[in-house]
Amino acid sequence: MIWNRDAECEAVEQRRLLQGYQLKKQVTHLYEKVPFYRKKMDDLGVTPGDINSIEDIGKLPFTTKDELRETYPYGLLACPEEDLVEIHTSSGTTGTPVLGGYTRADLDMWGEVMARCIGMCGGTPSDVVQNAYGYGMFTGGLGVHHGAQKMGCNTIPAASGNTKRQLMLMRDFKSTILTCTPSYALYMAEEAKEMGIDFRDLHLKAGVFGAEPWSDNMRKEIEEKLNLQAYDIYGLTEIIGPGVSNECEAHHGLHVNEDHFYPEIINPETGEVLPEGEKGELVFTSLTRQGTPIIRYRTRDITYLWHDKCSCGRTLVKMHRLLGRTDDMLILRGVNVFPSQIENVLMQIEETQPHYQIVIDRDRSQLDEVELQVEVEEAFFSDETKELERIRAKIAQAMKQELQINVNIKLVEPKSIERSMGKAKRVIDKRNL
Ligand code: DLL
């Protein structure tokens, strides 16, 4: 279902005019109300008068995660504190959180973009959405909740965890759409098997999976195990939470809700804006947000953008599923590799389970070294070292062939890698960088 045809299918040129108008309005407001932005613009010698169309966005300064942390909690607030009706934070791995503040209008906008995403996954008001993202400060739970309710779906706030109950809810309330991280979806499949529940007897038609990296091959695995169509949803606390972009039924890129979040791709080293189709760091500007809008936020996420005539009829620009992050790229003997590429190769090996961890360390000569710990399918896990050696060599060879890297493979017992109900920790970095 196309939730908002006017916005999602609008002529591209028309949308650009609107984006230009919103940008000017936003920048003028931030220049007047937020000293942080005024100073940054003054330092660059830019005033709101210089912003007259969306093409002028390149004149504006970038904002980084460090700056968001330095201004925590309310340094970037662009509305009176009493206008806030909800806040979320994302803690990341390094301590000081980043704040997302929402006014009433922001919550409406969040619900709107999330409802669009559910529509892109084939959702309609008659669906039953089982929301197994974490509720709380994390944006996943409440963000999806606002959208599902906006659409008029029966919304089950299952939250993450309590997997047995999760499966019972799914059965009893005939849930048709499951929303959770892809790693949690896999965990549910495993539990279901143990409980003797077959997904073919349930009613799920779609899964809205995101918040962590996953690969196309992981998608196939999930679709088979959960008997549904899996859709990729992307978002981040700094911009709104879930709802920034989503795959449609074409499963060919994620449509960005660009009338609210304007995307650019830059060269992460030079900051230069790259043309459509080129890979680089994704940057977002909040065009309509009131609480904590951000100008040219450097996400560190890597992807590329393109326009095409999508079979779904939407004209919203597309982003490729994330290719990695500027801060998780590994350089192994001179070859750049992202953990998701390792996952993609691994998912093609039938003897292994989709549960793995990548451990990075430095060897004696200070070169990066990667160990891939992966669970072996129960049926293949035998005491016969010869058989395990064959599987190990097969994975190592596939890595070498497809990624040109040597990876040490460690096969581990089924169920020995910790399961995740939220964002899985796939990479363990033991280097002291
Ligand atoms: O993860 C928001 C969200 C909730 C998105 C539910 C989708 C579903 P943060 O906790 O702030 O927000 O983390 C944002 O997670 O910059 C990406 O690096 C990563 N990420 C989010 N979605 C995807 C995805 C939420 N579909 C950070 N694929 C982002 C890969 C993703 N990585």
Side-chain angles (χ1 to χ4, degrees), residues 132-172:
Y133 282 112
Y135 279 65
M137 297 313 283
F138 176 52
T139 53
L142 277 168
V144 169
H145 190 98
H146 293 315
Q149 293 219 313
K150 180 122 190 165
M151 180 169 268
C153 303
N154 184 5
T155 311
I156 306 179
S160 61
N162 209 337
T163 311
K164 286 200 169 64
R165 186 187 65 180
Q166 205 76 248
L167 291 158
M168 279 160 55
L169 290 170
M170 215 175 271
R171 187 192 56 202
D172 298 346

Side-chain angles (χ1 to χ4, degrees), residues 130-306:
Q130 181 159 337
N131 186 13
Y133 282 112
Y135 279 65
M137 297 313 283
F138 176 52
T139 53
L142 277 168
V144 169
H145 190 98
H146 293 315
Q149 293 219 313
K150 180 122 190 165
M151 180 169 268
C153 303
N154 184 5
T155 311
I156 306 179
S160 61
N162 209 337
T163 311
K164 286 200 169 64
R165 186 187 65 180
Q166 205 76 248
L167 291 158
M168 279 160 55
L169 290 170
M170 215 175 271
R171 187 192 56 202
D172 298 346
F173 296 103
K174 301 192 173 57
S175 309
T176 52
I177 298 183
L178 173 66
T179 63
C180 63
T181 59
S183 51
Y184 193 30
L186 280 175
Y187 182 29
M188 282 187 200
E190 207 172 58
E191 281 281 316
K193 203 167 161 199
E194 277 189 7
M195 289 168 71
I197 294 178
D198 187 337
F199 276 92
R200 281 168 302 190
D201 299 331
L202 300 181
H203 299 83
L204 292 177
K205 65 173 188 189
V208 190
F209 302 131
E212 65 180 6
W214 58 309
S215 59
D216 257 331
N217 285 325
M218 174 80 90
R219 181 216 302 281
K220 285 184 207 137
E221 184 98 28
I222 293 178
E223 290 189 331
E224 248 165 58
K225 290 195 162 148
L226 276 80
N227 191 39
L228 47 65
Q229 276 220 44
Y231 294 82
D232 193 9
I233 181 167
Y234 167 84
L236 61 167
T237 314
E238 294 88 325
I239 297 305
I240 197 78
V244 173
S245 64
N246 205 102
E247 276 177 345
C248 64
E249 73 243 17
H251 292 293
H252 181 51
L254 290 78
H255 288 287
V256 181
N257 283 309
E258 56 168 321
D259 47 336
H260 294 286
F261 324 112
Y262 186 77
E264 298 172 273
I265 298 288
I266 62 163
N267 175 328
E269 264 128 54
T270 62
E272 173 205 2
V273 178
L274 299 176
E276 244 185 69
E278 279 192 35
K279 268 185 230 166
E281 180 178 352
L282 185 58
V283 168
F284 279 110
T285 298
S286 336
L287 295 177
T288 57
R289 189 152 181 199
Q290 296 180 344
T292 44
I294 310 191
I295 292 180
R296 304 191 85 199
Y297 179 62
R298 295 190 56 163
T299 63
R300 300 188 192 171
D301 289 328
I302 297 176
T303 183
Y304 57 91
L305 300 171
W306 77 99

Side-chain angles (χ1 to χ4, degrees), residues 409-420:
I409 313 291
K410 185 175 175 192
L411 300 179
V412 297
E413 275 185 53
K415 306 227 170 78
S416 59
I417 287 175
E418 200 186 336
R419 299 295 185 256
S420 156

